[in-house]
Amino acid sequence: MADTKYIFVTGGVSSSLGKGIIAASLAKLLQARGFKATIQKLDPYINVDPGTLNPYEHGECYVTEDGAETDLDLGHYERFLNVNTSQANNVTTGRIYQSVIEKERRGEFLGKTVQVVPHITNEIKERIQILGQNGDYDIVITEIGGTVGDIESLPYIEAVRQLKWELGDDNALVIHLTLVPYLSAAGELKTKPTQHSVKTLMESGIKADILVCRTEHELSDDIRRKLAIFCNVRQEAVIQSIDAPTIYDVPNMMLKEGLDTVVLKKLALPDDTTPNLERWNQFLKRHKNPKAEVHIGLIGKYVELQDSYKSILEAFIHAGAENEVSVKVEYIHSEFINDSTIHNKISHLDGVLVAPGFGERGIEGKIDAVRYARENGLPFLGICLGMQMAVIEFARNVLQLKDANSTEMDAGTKHPVIDLMEAQKEVTHKGGTMRLGSWDCVLTEGSIIHKVYGTTEIKERHRHRYEYNNKYKEQLENAGMASTGINPETGLVEIVELKDHPWFVGVQYHPEYKSTVASPHPLFVSFVKAAHEHSVKQKNAKMAQK
């Protein structure tokens, strides 16, 4: 295809309506028709990236193969499309302004007064088109964060207006996602919020080509007709997005509504194929018809906001479907785990995952959870900080190094079994300076992790500063904690596991980032399988006692 087509997804009325899921679902349908599609996210906040944001502020920070710290919506994009994203797929206001200011300092504007229009909007337009200029994609979908009318979104909306005009009618379109609320007192759906939202968009010079309406109730033909007339769109372009049982139902719902057909027509693209969703629907069938159930405890300190662990939760869905089991995740705040509470919180579980994180809050609870899993043969997976807690727990309670710790938690510990990377000791700027992105790892043959992957060489994504301290490696290995994954470039330990335990693995990297519907991550698949086997064993033991 000679020219890349562009689709812009804006939102109105309310935040959190699911622009990312609609964008990912549309991209999935286009991909299933044979088009090469990608999605990018424009975020209006002034942070350069989400890497320095507290998870309570913005959910998890998603990391790409090339080491970009990005918005969690990029996780949805990858999980739906099974295609890697990159730095170019997430742009923030902070990054836009940083780039423009650096150009001004270098004198690139030849003495001109630097302004929002044209300099900021030109920068935005350049970033939008980067993915379309390399010839890899037929269609680029750009999701604009925030809500139309927000003051911080105005430069993005203006850039879209300019770009839509420059590209021409057949090469760009705007999908506007709005809310059609139901008033129980009146017993009816109300279209006025959508009308006002579309009016606000038009005041910025942009006409919505397609309306996607989030709703709790079916849209009647009368309501669709009313929205079409008042919002200046064709009735066929008024798309219903009713609440779904899971986000993975949305592509099929959008297919039924004909969203992809309307898009192809407006972009003058051929509509002569039927989306091939066979593999997707096989996943959905397994997900919705499990043969068993397992309960896994997620031990973390951001459990009040589930988006803090979004990729982990989705990886459990993928792994559960692969094993034909339903994974029931129990959120356990590590601050509330101690000697008197741990049995009640963990003893009934089939597996324990100690989650990633930063800082000392809730650390002792995580260490107690690791100890319980180790001593009671409970399947255990530690991710990043969770792996580090496993090393600390083992050092304290098996090696008897009672004050063993990470220098992140205790800079003066006598036994820093987890320590700051040498390259990190001179770092003063925290943003984008951790060990990030994809790194190689060599696996020990015959180990649990080798059986999980079925290979001796893997690449996984990282996001951390502190590392396993190799000075304690010999002691830990002699006592039974094997180092079964090593980074060949640095010699750093990436994976630990216990020899005399049914399934106990800690990994320094983040496997959850690479789990997709089409390719469930093997580590999560194996962990869920081990949890299911533990569940069956426990049930059989109880039956035998009767």
Side-chain angles (χ1 to χ4, degrees):
M1 189 178 297
D3 298 312
T4 301
K5 308 282 187 173
Y6 292 86
I7 299 170
F8 303 102
V9 181
T10 60
V13 182
S14 171
S15 60
S16 302
L17 293 181
K19 291 193 300 295
I21 300 301
I22 292 297
S25 297
L26 174 58
K28 184 68 205 174
L29 293 177
L30 295 171
Q31 183 191 63
R33 284 175 175 267
F35 294 100
K36 293 178 289 183
T38 189
I39 320 172
Q40 66 179 174
K41 175 76 179 290
L42 305 184
D43 272 311
Y45 52 75
I46 300 175
N47 303 67
V48 172
D49 58 48
T52 56
L53 285 172
N54 188 306
Y56 286 133
E57 287 279 329
H58 207 69
E60 76 169 8
C61 174
Y62 186 81
V63 178
T64 60
E65 284 286 296
D66 63 351
E69 293 176 289
T70 70
D71 183 81
L72 61 81
D73 272 335
L74 270 71
H76 292 311
Y77 306 161
E78 289 201 11
R79 287 187 284 272
F80 275 54
L81 299 180
N82 201 38
V83 175
N84 288 337
T85 54
S86 69
Q87 180 75 66
N89 290 79
N90 192 200
V91 180
T92 69
T93 295
R95 195 173 293 280
I96 292 292
Y97 274 81
Q98 183 183 54
S99 177
V100 170
I101 290 168
E102 286 174 353
K103 287 178 180 178
E104 184 273 333
R105 292 290 81 190
R106 292 194 297 266
E108 291 187 21
F109 298 125
L110 303 176
K112 292 284 188 183
T113 302
V114 180
Q115 297 175 284
V116 173
V117 181
H119 301 99
I120 296 298
T121 51
N122 282 349
E123 185 75 20
I124 293 170
K125 288 190 292 183
E126 286 177 20
R127 298 301 182 102
I128 288 172
Q129 294 178 94
I130 284 174
L131 290 167
Q133 290 170 343
N134 58 19
D136 291 340
Y137 303 106
D138 304 319
I139 301 166
V140 175
I141 301 175
T142 301
E143 175 196 347
I144 299 174
T147 306
V148 168
D150 292 348
I151 209 165
E152 58 263 36
S153 297
L154 291 176
Y156 293 103
I157 297 298
E158 171 58 18
V160 169
R161 184 197 67 77
Q162 294 178 22
L163 199 52
K164 195 168 185 288
W165 179 78
E166 291 168 8
L167 292 169
D169 290 341
D170 290 344
N171 294 315
L173 65 80
V174 172
I175 298 174
H176 192 52
L177 179 65
T178 73
L179 177 68
V180 179
Y182 179 81
L183 294 187
S184 55
E188 61 182 352
L189 292 164
K190 307 303 288 187
T191 65
K192 193 61 73 176
T194 294
Q195 293 178 46
H196 282 298
S197 181
V198 170
K199 181 182 178 182
T200 301
L201 191 61
M202 292 182 75
E203 287 172 352
S204 299
I206 296 177
K207 174 189 172 296
D209 298 287
I210 299 171
L211 287 182
V212 176
C213 304
R214 278 300 305 273
T215 176
E216 297 175 351
H217 300 267
E218 297 280 342
L219 298 183
S220 66
D221 286 341
D222 285 343
I223 287 177
R224 290 179 193 250
R225 193 177 303 112
K226 184 177 181 180
L227 284 167
I229 291 170
F230 282 98
C231 298
N232 206 25
V233 299
R234 307 289 296 179
Q235 188 169 333
E236 68 190 41
V238 178
I239 305 295
Q240 170 184 283
S241 177
I242 201 163
D243 291 354
T246 78
I247 60 172
Y248 299 108
D249 286 301
V250 179
N252 280 313
M253 292 165 61
M254 292 302 99
L255 176 64
K256 184 179 178 182
E257 284 288 304
L259 176 60
D260 55 326
T261 299
V262 176
V263 164
L264 292 174
K265 181 178 178 181
K266 287 187 174 292
L267 293 177
L269 290 171
D271 180 18
D272 53 3
T273 57
T274 301
N276 181 2
L277 293 174
E278 182 179 353
R279 190 171 182 181
W280 185 272
N281 288 328
Q282 286 175 353
F283 155 76
L284 268 177
K285 184 178 179 180
R286 291 194 303 271
H287 173 52
K288 292 186 173 185
N289 299 280
K291 296 179 180 177
E293 185 176 284
V294 297
H295 292 258
I296 292 177
L298 194 160
I299 316 295
K301 56 183 180 178
Y302 309 115
V303 294
E304 296 91 341
L305 182 66
Q306 293 183 19
D307 275 358
S308 301
Y309 304 111
K310 192 65 178 174
S311 291
I312 290 174
L313 300 179
E314 298 306 315
F316 274 133
I317 290 175
H318 308 153
E322 190 72 9
N323 283 285
E324 296 187 282
V325 302
S326 173
V327 179
K328 302 296 183 183
V329 177
E330 295 188 21
Y331 306 94
I332 303 172
H333 202 301
S334 58
E335 280 194 295
F336 304 135
I337 296 177
N338 52 50
D339 289 343
S340 62
T341 64
I342 192 165
H343 183 78
N344 287 337
K345 288 184 178 294
I346 295 181
S347 61
H348 63 287
L349 297 173
D350 303 311
V352 166
L353 184 147
V354 175
F358 296 91
E360 61 183 320
R361 183 170 65 89
I363 289 305
E364 294 302 322
K366 289 188 174 186
I367 292 171
D368 288 343
V370 174
R371 181 172 187 172
Y372 188 95
R374 178 178 61 81
E375 292 180 342
N376 291 276
L378 198 60
F380 168 85
L381 175 59
I383 296 177
C384 199
L385 183 66
M387 174 262 208
Q388 296 174 2
M389 295 301 100
V391 174
I392 292 169
E393 187 281 325
F394 196 84
R396 287 183 184 180
N397 299 311
V398 178
L399 293 182
Q400 297 300 308
L401 305 176
K402 291 302 180 183
D403 69 340
N405 214 328
S406 166
T407 51
E408 180 182 7
M409 322 308 169
D410 179 6
T413 177
K414 291 181 182 177
H415 295 289
V417 292
I418 304 296
D419 199 6
L420 191 63
M421 295 166 55
E422 200 61 39
Q424 290 285 331
K425 291 184 178 178
E426 304 302 320
V427 170
T428 55
H429 286 61
K430 298 302 182 185
T433 55
M434 289 185 274
R435 180 146 78 105
L436 292 164
S438 187
W439 289 68
D440 294 326
C441 183
V442 177
L443 309 181
T444 302
E445 291 192 28
S447 61
I448 292 174
I449 204 74
H450 178 247
K451 294 172 185 174
V452 165
Y453 283 95
T455 183
T456 55
E457 295 182 11
I458 61 171
K459 294 175 78 74
E460 290 284 358
R461 301 180 196 178
H462 291 249
R463 185 176 183 251
H464 60 100
R465 296 183 195 282
Y466 291 81
E467 298 275 4
Y468 179 108
N469 189 342
N470 281 344
K471 292 178 182 177
Y472 292 87
K473 183 179 175 185
E474 185 175 351
Q475 282 179 270
L476 289 163
E477 288 196 319
N478 288 341
M481 176 168 273
S483 306
T484 55
I486 306 293
N487 175 263
E489 182 181 330
T490 63
L492 292 167
V493 173
E494 303 273 20
I495 304 166
V496 297
E497 57 186 72
L498 295 184
K499 297 175 182 177
D500 301 319
H501 192 283
W503 205 99
F504 188 106
V505 175
V507 296
Q508 183 61 78
Y509 50 83
H510 289 260
E512 70 273 20
Y513 291 148
K514 294 184 73 169
S515 187
T516 71
V517 169
S519 302
H521 197 285
L523 192 53
F524 277 88
V525 172
S526 180
F527 177 48
V528 170
K529 182 182 178 182
H532 180 228
E533 290 172 352
H534 179 270
S535 174
V536 171
K537 184 179 177 181
Q538 291 298 101
K539 287 175 183 175
N540 290 340
K542 287 179 181 178
M543 291 289 289
Q545 288 176 356
K546 292 180 180 180

